[in-house]
Amino acid sequence: MSKFSQLRRTLIGSALSLALAPLSTLAVAAEPIVIKFSHVVAQDTPKGKGADKFKELAEKYTNGAVRIEVYPNSTLYKDKEEVEALQLGAVQMLAPSLSKFGPLGVREFEVFDLPYIFDGYEALHKVTKGAVGQQLLDKLEPRGIKGLAYWDNGFKALSANTPIRAPADLRGKKLRIQSSKVLEEQMREVKALPQVMAFSEVYQALQTGVVDGTENTLSNYFTQKVHEVQKHLALTDHGYIGYAVITNKRFWDGLPADVRGQLEKAMDEATDYANQIAKEENDQMLEAVRASGRTEIHALSDAERAAFIKALLPVHKKMESRVGATTIKSIYEATGFDPSKF
């Protein structure tokens, strides 16, 4: 029997037991509402610190009526397991990367994976803090998921054991990506070989040569010790990694209204905190990578950046049939991006 078949049986059994319980049993002094918040990155990353900040604020604002249990670094569920676990009610809160929602069937979220669609944080936040971002979160509800907030991680760099100065330097390299058809197409556009792999497996895969390189933000790059097994890092800022903080919709809707309001307040403040430190953390981790002396860091010149943009921009057009031309256009309009300039 699979892990999730067992999980389903356990949850169904628990639900029946609760339904048959005497009212007097249910009337006993309430225990704290436990919210298991699982994520796959280290505790000292922007997402990890954001989760801990939410725990602090949620328990404070609810006066202990809610207890948040944070499980970092894939200690509870791995990449491929966590969303199903949330839908089944085995965990109440996640902050998966936005790439996770494409395989779930909400392909519009893969717009965030399009290379060079956001020219920095200001353009990004016009989407994540605006109407377009909320419309995307609303698309999760038919799948039993309630979207609560967007958390930044940052903009991605590319790494390998050989220098990266131009798109041609990626030709033939096996590069790890998250599960995303957009990211697969991005890598194929520069003749690289995309390798979908769980985040927790990346270090060993790089160490053993199963993959040649990867793309990630600097905070993930350093905290997962990727700099120990990669000789070259190019600051391409070619793509964005962000998260949607999500919860099981039935669980969320079933909370007392006052508790839900306090948790929303805690989430708003934790989101401001997480997004504020995201850029700071990535800047600090870049300096930590540089100080380690293990990885040679290359900042792209304007001409090199323009070459990457030109090479990767065709991905936007190719992904219209998957992500939705209307979705891509809404991002262009929100950010002011004009592809005709390139």
Side-chain angles (χ1 to χ4, degrees):
M1 183 181 295
S2 71
K3 178 179 180 180
F4 281 106
S5 295
Q6 292 175 326
L7 178 59
R8 288 189 185 96
R9 290 184 63 178
T10 300
L11 291 171
I12 291 169
S14 297
L16 288 173
S17 297
L18 181 61
L20 296 172
L23 292 177
S24 58
T25 301
L26 300 177
V28 174
E31 291 291 323
I33 299 168
V34 176
I35 295 178
K36 294 181 180 179
F37 190 155
S38 174
H39 64 82
V40 302
V41 299
Q43 193 169 10
D44 56 351
T45 58
K47 178 162 67 173
K49 291 182 178 181
D52 289 343
K53 175 60 72 171
F54 174 70
K55 170 182 169 65
E56 172 194 331
L57 295 172
E59 293 177 350
K60 172 184 174 184
Y61 292 150
T62 63
N63 291 318
V66 172
R67 184 172 81 242
I68 310 294
E69 297 178 355
V70 179
Y71 296 88
N73 229 16
S74 301
T75 53
L76 197 58
Y77 294 103
K78 293 184 179 181
D79 275 350
K80 295 179 181 179
E81 305 169 341
E82 61 175 9
V83 174
E84 185 178 1
L86 181 95
Q87 290 174 304
L88 290 171
V91 62
Q92 289 72 47
M93 195 170 287
L94 305 173
S97 63
L98 298 170
S99 298
K100 296 290 194 311
F101 301 121
L104 191 64
V106 191
R107 294 178 176 179
E108 293 89 341
F109 273 90
E110 288 188 347
V111 74
F112 287 100
D113 290 335
L114 288 172
Y116 291 111
I117 196 169
F118 300 112
D119 186 19
Y121 287 101
E122 182 178 353
L124 167 71
H125 290 158
K126 289 177 180 177
V127 173
T128 58
K129 295 182 179 180
V132 175
Q134 186 58 52
Q135 289 164 9
L136 289 170
L137 290 178
D138 291 345
K139 291 179 182 295
L140 296 172
E141 297 203 4
R143 289 160 176 80
I145 295 170
K146 172 74 175 177
L148 300 176
Y150 290 95
W151 287 3
D152 293 340
N153 184 324
F155 288 89
K156 294 184 285 189
L158 283 163
S159 70
N161 283 323
T162 53
I164 302 170
R165 302 285 187 270
D169 295 329
L170 302 174
R171 182 185 293 269
K173 285 189 166 51
K174 295 177 290 184
L175 299 179
R176 180 268 173 177
I177 59 167
Q178 299 183 74
S179 179
S180 164
K181 296 300 182 184
V182 174
L183 296 181
E184 288 182 24
E185 186 60 38
Q186 167 191 280
M187 293 307 181
R188 291 193 182 102
E189 195 66 30
V190 291
K191 304 298 189 292
L193 305 173
Q195 308 290 309
V196 176
M197 182 177 295
F199 184 64
S200 58
E201 299 170 5
V202 174
Y203 179 91
Q204 185 175 8
L206 291 167
Q207 186 180 43
T208 58
V210 172
V211 294
D212 301 312
T214 188
E215 59 169 16
N216 221 314
T217 60
L218 275 302
S219 61
N220 284 345
Y221 189 85
F222 183 77
T223 56
Q224 292 295 316
K225 301 181 179 180
V226 175
H227 64 289
E228 295 181 358
V229 288
Q230 294 276 266
K231 296 178 181 178
H232 294 272
L233 180 71
L235 305 180
T236 50
D237 289 340
H238 62 283
Y240 167 73
I241 294 181
Y243 311 110
V245 185
I246 60 175
T247 185
N248 179 290
K249 186 176 187 301
R250 179 178 293 182
F251 168 80
W252 190 257
D253 291 345
L255 290 171
D258 59 333
V259 170
R260 192 165 55 243
Q262 291 157 348
L263 292 176
E264 288 170 348
K265 178 183 177 183
M267 182 57 65
D268 287 344
E269 293 183 19
T271 297
D272 288 342
Y273 169 81
N275 290 347
Q276 178 183 345
I277 66 170
K279 186 177 185 305
E280 289 176 20
E281 290 282 309
N282 281 297
D283 289 345
Q284 291 169 8
M285 296 305 176
L286 174 60
E287 292 311 309
V289 172
R290 182 174 283 117
S292 76
R294 297 192 177 201
T295 301
E296 183 178 328
I297 299 168
H298 178 67
L300 268 59
S301 67
D302 290 343
E304 288 170 335
R305 177 179 169 83
F308 270 97
I309 295 174
K310 185 177 180 180
L312 290 171
L313 200 56
V315 177
H316 291 208
K317 192 70 177 176
K318 290 182 177 181
M319 287 292 103
E320 282 184 354
S321 61
R322 179 177 179 86
V323 176
T326 302
T327 302
I328 295 173
K329 183 180 178 183
S330 71
I331 301 287
Y332 287 174
E333 291 175 348
T335 64
F337 181 81
D338 183 0
S340 67
K341 290 182 178 179
F342 300 96

